[in-house]
Amino acid sequence: MAAPARSILKASRSPVLRSAFSSVRYSSTASKPVTLKERLAELIPAEIENVKKIRAEHGKKSFGPVIVDQLYGGMRGLPALIWDGSVLDADEGIRFRGKTIPEIQDLLPKAPGGSEPLPEGLFWLLVTGEIPTQEQVAELSKDWAARSAIPEFVEEILDRCPPTLHPMSQFSLAVTALNHNSAFAKAYQDGVSKKEYWGPTFEDSMDLIAKLPNIAGRIYRNVFGQGKLPAIDASKDYSYNLASLLGFGDNAAFVELLRLYITIHSDHEGGNVSAHAGKLVGSALSDPFLSYAAALNGLAGPLHGLANQEVLIWLRKMQSKIGEDATDEAVKEYVWSTLKNGQVVPGYGHAVLRKTDPRYTAQREFALKHLPDDKLFKLVGQIYTIVPDILLEAGKAKNPWPNVDAHSGVLLAHYGLTQMQFYTVLFGVSRAFGVAAQLIWDRALGAPLERPKSYSSALIEKMFHGKP
Ligand code: CMX
């Protein structure tokens, strides 16, 4: 448990994990690059054998004790899940298939003239453990553009939603409705063999990711009156198309921001609420659309993805109360008043992390490059020097440092995407990459129905009565 993620991964016999550390493997032939699905089909048999071997050798070994506090305390730190796509280290932060955020920023393919990684490449990495070629990423962009249309009845569902219905609820409704055309649900009805589950899961997952920009764009335009939705451009990448559907396609810096945003929000190991909700629901063999809708409903909570919007709402309230160029003293007083009112400081703290989130740092670096003089960005920086000391003094939060949500809203607002209620939808588009990759592998490896055991307080008392 205490071993850092990197050494665990390096020691792994998993062909998928090992490839994240081996030299980059380009699986393209001279004429046509191998597709993601073809590469996955090559990797799955060896990984099935690897899991069998691990279970045979280590299956009966203990991970350490489970203490009663973990049953009452939201299962913090309980080793309970397997997901190879990303592992979170409390001090270092996230690694995607063994690679840090700066490493993937360096290694993953970029758009021509761009400096941020293309999320298409991150998806390939999550699924295969390998860095794709520029050509493979371009094929993925094309494939997603070709799959991007949403059924007319889903458009109608969205058009009939009152603008007062939160964008995340609309998002979840639309994703649930996509299950109408699920390849997995159909294959299951047609009696597909367990061994073949991953194929239709892969197709649904690709469709899911591909259709999210059209759903997100439609919600944005409907709720905030932003005019007509343009068509997807099949010659452009995923982030450009999402930006364009939101009305920001002409803004190259915003498109770059989205590439970074989607990449860093995609996955945060398997135990966070959205990733775990998706995995849990998927374990009942609900198709990827139903599973991902469950993930979105978890992401919509203020302690998780909704913090994306809560941070900006809190910052704006602060500005309206103490002004735009407030002194440190005034900021401190405002932070204390938040705590004294029994509220959390949004964007700070984390259930696993114990240091500044590298996703926060990546966004800060983007801001220093693109918007160093933005007033709200300066306030975010000022807060960073103030909040950790206050949270430490208050003495409750185990982690006083900022998480990913402390920064994202400021960047979006800078470019004119000021409608905070929409922010978590963008988090939702991003998180689909991680959840989809996980669903594909869960079905490929035959992950069973999740069914942990619950106990009553009376039973706990009885079990430990009279024992030291
Ligand atoms: N402000 C005030 N109090 C905080 C706090 C914060 N930012 N972070 C933790 N605490 C409090 C908790 O509410 C808890 O209080 P109680 O004992 O009264 O219940 C106590 O400190 C201990 O909590 P913890 O063990 O440090 O943290 P948890 O694992 O329970 O919760 C999290 C983690 C993220 C929910 C919490 O830090 C929080 O509420 N942060 C603010 C909301 C936020 O930014 N969420 C986004 C997280 C990232 C993401 O998923 O998107």
Side-chain angles (χ1 to χ4, degrees):
M1 270 285 274
R6 193 176 180 79
S7 58
I8 293 171
L9 290 172
K10 267 186 167 167
S12 171
R13 274 193 307 259
S14 156
V16 176
L17 296 189
R18 263 204 329 266
S19 67
F21 286 97
S22 62
S23 58
V24 176
R25 284 162 53 183
Y26 295 102
S27 40
S28 56
T29 61
S31 54
K32 203 169 172 277
V34 166
T35 67
L36 180 57
K37 195 172 185 184
E38 287 163 350
R39 186 67 192 123
L40 187 57
E42 288 168 3
L43 291 168
I44 286 172
E47 190 57 25
I48 289 174
E49 288 312 309
N50 183 52
V51 170
K52 269 191 202 155
K53 196 153 192 263
I54 291 174
R55 292 187 69 168
E57 276 180 26
H58 307 298
K60 301 286 177 280
K61 292 179 188 165
S62 168
F63 239 109
V66 174
I67 61 169
V68 173
D69 260 349
Q70 287 177 301
L71 275 73
Y72 286 98
M75 297 185 278
R76 287 296 178 290
L78 193 76
L81 304 160
I82 293 286
W83 168 225
D84 293 333
S86 66
V87 177
L88 181 59
D89 181 84
D91 294 326
E92 184 195 54
I94 196 70
R95 278 179 184 261
F96 302 105
R97 293 281 184 187
K99 298 190 190 311
T100 63
I101 288 175
E103 283 168 355
I104 58 160
Q105 281 178 302
D106 185 34
L107 288 170
L108 289 180
K110 326 263 183 308
S115 56
E116 297 301 337
L118 290 166
E120 286 86 335
L122 197 270
F123 186 64
W124 188 291
L125 176 69
L126 286 177
V127 172
T128 65
E130 298 167 357
I131 303 289
T133 62
Q134 197 82 39
E135 215 182 356
Q136 286 168 328
V137 156
E139 286 300 315
L140 214 45
S141 304
K142 253 193 248 161
D143 191 353
W144 286 347
R147 295 170 186 255
S148 64
I150 56 176
E152 218 175 290
F153 83 94
V154 177
E155 292 180 354
E156 280 166 21
I157 289 175
L158 289 174
D159 293 348
R160 289 174 72 99
C161 286
T164 45
L165 182 62
H166 194 282
M168 280 302 280
S169 310
Q170 300 195 28
F171 199 21
S172 168
L173 272 177
V175 168
T176 299
L178 289 179
N179 126 289
H180 184 260
N181 298 335
S182 163
F184 181 86
K186 180 170 183 324
Y188 192 83
Q189 289 311 315
D190 293 346
V192 66
S193 152
K194 277 184 180 182
K195 288 194 181 112
E196 308 302 329
Y197 282 173
W198 75 267
T201 301
F202 178 87
E203 294 302 331
D204 279 353
S205 296
M206 294 283 279
D207 280 347
L208 169 72
I209 292 173
K211 291 175 193 312
L212 296 180
N214 262 321
I215 294 176
R218 200 167 192 97
I219 294 170
Y220 184 68
R221 298 209 177 233
N222 280 353
V223 173
F224 305 109
Q226 301 292 308
K228 223 170 156 296
L229 206 61
I232 292 268
D233 181 342
S235 70
K236 294 282 182 27
D237 66 278
Y238 189 82
S239 310
Y240 170 87
N241 273 314
L242 176 58
S244 151
L245 293 176
L246 300 175
F248 295 87
D250 294 339
N251 188 331
F254 182 86
V255 175
E256 278 292 278
L257 171 63
L258 270 193
R259 290 174 183 139
L260 174 68
Y261 182 103
I262 297 173
T263 298
I264 64 175
H265 283 80
S266 61
D267 204 31
H268 217 223
E269 76 169 33
N272 67 75
V273 169
S274 52
H276 186 201
K279 184 181 175 74
L280 169 68
V281 174
S283 85
L285 299 185
S286 304
D287 63 59
F289 304 108
L290 298 179
S291 304
Y292 196 60
L296 284 175
N297 290 340
L299 195 69
L303 296 187
H304 191 19
L306 204 75
N308 238 272
Q309 87 171 33
E310 295 301 298
V311 168
L312 212 71
I313 291 173
W314 183 73
L315 290 178
R316 290 281 189 221
K317 272 192 199 153
M318 183 189 298
Q319 279 186 324
S320 69
K321 186 127 193 238
I322 62 177
E324 284 204 345
D325 297 304
T327 62
D328 285 358
E329 277 318 304
V331 172
K332 276 182 197 166
E333 210 177 297
Y334 188 83
V335 174
W336 273 114
S337 73
T338 300
L339 293 178
K340 283 178 185 152
N341 285 340
Q343 294 157 5
V344 295
V345 177
Y348 278 76
H350 199 272
V352 178
L353 282 168
R354 292 297 174 257
K355 291 273 164 64
T356 297
D357 191 336
R359 300 172 300 174
Y360 174 93
T361 310
Q363 293 181 93
R364 178 169 169 77
E365 276 161 17
F366 185 95
L368 284 169
K369 187 168 156 194
H370 294 276
L371 45 127
D373 298 324
D374 183 283
K375 283 221 155 131
L376 215 51
F377 167 56
K378 286 193 168 160
L379 178 59
V380 165
Q382 187 183 12
I383 285 169
Y384 184 44
T385 65
I386 291 173
V387 167
D389 283 344
I390 294 181
L391 286 177
L392 284 173
E393 196 182 329
K396 283 213 293 185
K398 291 190 191 67
N399 174 30
W401 301 107
N403 60 57
V404 67
D405 300 308
H407 219 305
S408 45
V410 170
L411 300 178
L412 297 169
H414 175 81
Y415 293 107
L417 207 164
T418 52
Q419 298 88 353
M420 304 157 201
Q421 284 75 11
F422 188 73
Y423 291 174
T424 311
V425 172
L426 291 179
F427 196 161
V429 172
S430 319
R431 187 47 59 89
F433 285 56
V435 173
Q438 195 173 180
L439 288 168
I440 294 166
W441 270 107
D442 275 358
R443 299 294 76 77
L445 297 174
L449 180 81
E450 273 191 33
R451 182 53 171 94
K453 177 86 188 82
S454 73
Y455 292 82
S456 66
S457 290
L459 202 56
I460 297 277
E461 278 181 324
K462 200 171 150 199
M463 277 166 76
F464 295 104
H465 181 72
K467 292 185 185 155

